[in-house]
Amino acid sequence: MLINATHINLLHVCHRELWLHYHGVRMEHTSQTVAEGKLIGETSYPERAKKYTELAMDGIKIDFYDPKENVVHEVKKSNKVEEAHIAQVKYYLYILRKNGIEDPSAIIEYPKLRQRQVVEWEDGDTKKIEAWKQMVEDIVTREECPPLLHARICRSCSYFDFCYSDQPDTPSNS
Ligand code: SF4
């Protein structure tokens, strides 16, 4: 099974979303949040594309890799630093290392927050990531879609209508 960085990210967000995404149920085209994120990624650092290179290997696609400094740059539109972002970027580092790139590191940039999160490789990460891969596999090979999360994040999820259209109680914003 080819696991990619989006799967690892979604594992840390919602198992139902991971399952739906894996099985080809896509709603991103209807989501304002996804469109906004893409726009922030494309426009926040216009000079970046000239300086950095794009890398694709083993199911990952890194938009901005700085070969000189050996650093991955990832842009997120979020209002907070999220565990899922760190997990996604750790997965990039894992794949880079597996492909012979020594000691890469990463910086997650949050233009809305004017904040950066440095992500370094740590002891035990290989084991941790291999456990995440196994968890992804266990979830996506289930016959049944995992249950609704009933969480605040559902409100900004592209699957919100899909998940809650026939539910009497929808998660609140607060
Ligand atoms: S709306 Fe909620 S339950 Fe449904 S996929 Fe999104 S986060 Fe998961």
Side-chain angles (χ1 to χ4, degrees):
M1 172 180 296
L2 187 60
I3 289 176
N4 64 37
T6 303
H7 300 143
I8 299 295
N9 180 315
L10 294 179
L11 175 72
H12 293 79
V13 175
C14 170
H15 292 179
R16 181 179 172 88
E17 187 173 354
L18 167 62
W19 192 96
L20 289 167
H21 178 91
Y22 182 84
H23 290 277
V25 183
R26 297 292 160 79
M27 299 285 155
E28 286 95 334
H29 56 287
T30 63
S31 168
Q32 179 68 25
T33 313
V34 173
E36 196 188 324
K38 212 163 169 262
L39 192 69
I40 285 179
E42 285 164 1
T43 58
S44 297
Y45 306 100
E47 292 303 304
R48 183 149 295 181
K50 290 182 208 150
K51 256 169 77 189
Y52 302 154
T53 176
E54 207 179 270
L55 270 187
M57 59 178 81
D58 293 353
I60 64 164
K61 188 176 156 291
I62 298 168
D63 291 332
F64 303 113
Y65 171 68
D66 178 350
K68 219 165 132 205
E69 303 293 332
N70 197 11
V71 176
V72 171
H73 291 263
E74 176 73 14
V75 182
K76 294 292 186 196
K77 65 142 202 104
S78 172
N79 285 323
K80 62 177 179 3
V81 176
E82 287 173 26
E83 197 196 337
H85 303 157
I86 296 172
Q88 175 187 339
V89 163
K90 283 262 181 181
Y91 190 69
Y92 290 157
L93 301 183
Y94 168 81
I95 294 292
L96 292 176
R97 291 168 67 97
K98 272 185 83 174
N99 282 276
I101 296 175
E102 282 180 30
D103 294 327
S105 63
I107 298 172
I108 309 174
E109 327 236 5
Y110 294 89
K112 274 187 171 178
L113 291 174
R114 297 178 184 275
Q115 202 177 316
R116 326 167 94 204
Q117 169 80 37
V118 175
V119 180
E120 303 275 4
W121 191 256
E122 292 164 305
D123 286 349
D125 277 349
T126 302
K127 229 173 147 184
K128 196 156 76 178
I129 290 166
E130 278 163 8
W132 292 344
K133 284 172 68 182
Q134 188 58 53
M135 285 168 76
V136 167
E137 197 164 333
D138 292 347
I139 291 165
V140 302
T141 52
R142 282 186 209 160
E143 291 219 345
E144 301 248 321
C145 181
L148 294 170
L149 204 58
H150 286 291
R152 195 174 157 185
I153 58 154
C154 294
R155 283 269 170 202
S156 54
C157 176
S158 58
Y159 292 96
F160 181 75
D161 289 340
F162 178 86
C163 288
Y164 290 97
S165 58
D166 61 350
Q167 295 285 312
D169 295 320
T170 54
S172 72
N173 274 324
S174 55

